Amino acid sequence: MDAILDSTIVGFDKPDPRFFRAALDRLHVDASQAVHVGDTVPADVRGAQAAGILAIHYDPYEDCDDPGDHEHIRRLQEVDAFLAPQLRE
């Protein structure tokens, strides 16, 4: 499943959880089934968390200054470890 959302069209910007919920609605997916990977803590991680989505911080240089309450990856291939087994193929 793929979807591209533009905040101008959707009417909400990240980190507003309504932006993330709009993506879930578009994909017909529950927050518990979703993973959001983003490169900023304030917009990506906090917004996804507020929408009930597992947030993964893409942090290739390991320079996150707020490492405590979210997952981190350095390479996008590492997302695989967070996916359900049936999606890893």
Side-chain angles (χ1 to χ4, degrees), residues 8 11 13-14 18 26 30 33 38 42-44 49 56 59 62 64 67-69 71 80 88:
T8 306
D13 289 323
K14 294 187 290 182
R18 293 175 293 180
R26 174 84 52 89
D30 186 72
Q33 299 171 301
D44 293 307
Q49 288 173 331
I56 301 175
D59 185 18
E62 295 182 327
C64 181
D69 68 344
E71 301 291 342
D80 196 45
R88 292 184 190 161

Side-chain angles (χ1 to χ4, degrees), residues 23-71:
L24 295 171
D25 290 345
R26 174 84 52 89
L27 295 169
H28 307 288
V29 173
D30 186 72
S32 66
Q33 299 171 301
V35 174
H36 178 79
V37 179
D39 63 351
T40 67
V41 173
D44 293 307
V45 172
R46 298 294 173 236
Q49 288 173 331
I53 299 170
L54 173 62
I56 301 175
H57 183 194
Y58 174 60
D59 185 18
Y61 303 107
E62 295 182 327
D63 60 0
C64 181
D65 59 356
D66 188 8
D69 68 344
H70 56 275
E71 301 291 342

